[in-house]
Amino acid sequence: MIKLIIVDDHPLVSGGVAMMVKDVSYLQITASLHTGKQTIEYLKTATPDVILLDINLPDTDGLSLCETIRKNNKQVKIIGLTSTNEAGIITQFLAKGGNGYLLKNMERDELLTAIDEVMDNKIFLSKSANQKLLEQFKTVSEAIHNIPVLTRREKEIIALLHEGLNGPQIAEKLFLSPYTVETHRKNLMQKLNANNTQQLLKVATQHKLL
């Protein structure tokens, strides 16, 4: 029997999940919780197999809660349950110890597959979440370690930045407008989570992108 708890402050979501699994003989919902505080208290005395965890809770950040749960329990499987399909959120959730990521418009089969796969020690991403992730990263493993995929143009620009060229110089060399170069530079900073060009080059070097 796989013991499942749902952590979500919307009764319709919890009720919907309960309806999806009610006829599944090997699944048992042992608790439906609404806040991070309730979840931490519950886990002091109970050990579920799988937690379906909403990313947006009324009293805490679901990402932080995922990290806290993982520190205290290495075995439990944590599946994000959310309406947010953003690569940055997905990667953060996985990096903080999440095992899977589902969107709330999931079908029953997808939910059951997610539970089965995380129980087999696999990472599960909904089809749309996986697609969003692979728009920026080569693989899920690279995404967890925040190693993004750079476009050919981004590689050219970061290489020229590394050589010491500034925006106007790069624009002239690549026959681009300064605005286009600046847009690429901002996109690079976002992908590599950098606040300035110096940090951008440092992170790129660490990830062997130069």
Side-chain angles (χ1 to χ4, degrees), residues 5 19 40 70-71 81 114 122 135 144 179 183 185:
I5 71 169
M19 286 293 293
I40 295 300
R70 178 58 67 219
K71 285 179 180 177
L81 186 62
K122 299 176 183 176
E135 287 175 3
I144 294 173
Y179 174 80
T183 298
R185 189 183 71 86

Side-chain angles (χ1 to χ4, degrees), residues 31-194:
S32 183
L33 309 170
H34 309 296
T35 66
K37 184 178 180 181
Q38 286 180 347
T39 305
I40 295 300
E41 287 300 314
Y42 179 84
L43 293 175
K44 287 179 180 178
T45 57
T47 308
D49 299 300
V50 178
I51 300 174
L52 290 179
L53 177 61
D54 188 5
I55 302 297
N56 299 302
L57 294 169
D59 66 334
T60 189
D61 170 13
L63 297 173
S64 299
L65 181 58
C66 177
E67 186 173 31
T68 299
I69 293 171
R70 178 58 67 219
K71 285 179 180 177
N72 297 326
N73 189 321
K74 304 298 183 185
Q75 302 303 318
V76 68
K77 308 302 181 184
I78 309 171
I79 300 175
L81 186 62
T82 177
S83 302
T84 304
N85 191 26
E86 296 178 11
I89 299 297
I90 300 167
T91 56
Q92 285 184 64
F93 186 77
L94 297 177
K96 291 180 183 297
N99 303 96
Y101 199 92
L102 283 170
L103 299 181
K104 290 184 177 180
N105 61 357
M106 64 194 171
E107 299 290 338
R108 179 177 182 271
D109 288 347
E110 189 172 39
L111 172 63
L112 297 181
T113 300
I115 293 171
D116 290 342
E117 292 211 359
V118 299
M119 288 300 294
D120 285 338
N121 296 316
K122 299 176 183 176
I123 295 290
F124 180 88
L125 298 178
S126 68
K127 183 177 180 180
S128 52
N130 187 65
Q131 182 178 354
K132 179 64 68 172
L133 206 62
L134 296 181
E135 287 175 3
Q136 291 192 30
F137 302 93
K138 290 181 181 177
T139 65
V140 172
S141 176
E142 288 193 355
I144 294 173
H145 294 93
N146 291 311
I147 305 174
V149 176
L150 302 187
T151 66
R152 178 182 60 82
R153 184 65 81 188
E154 286 170 343
K155 289 177 181 178
E156 290 176 341
I157 289 173
I158 202 169
L160 292 173
L161 286 170
H162 187 246
E163 290 178 14
L165 275 66
N166 60 29
Q169 290 170 329
I170 293 173
E172 183 177 356
K173 188 175 182 67
L174 297 179
F175 303 102
L176 299 171
S177 72
Y179 174 80
T180 299
V181 172
E182 181 61 16
T183 298
H184 282 302
R185 189 183 71 86
K186 288 180 178 178
N187 288 340
L188 281 164
M189 289 172 63
Q190 183 178 15
K191 279 189 177 184
L192 295 178
N193 195 25

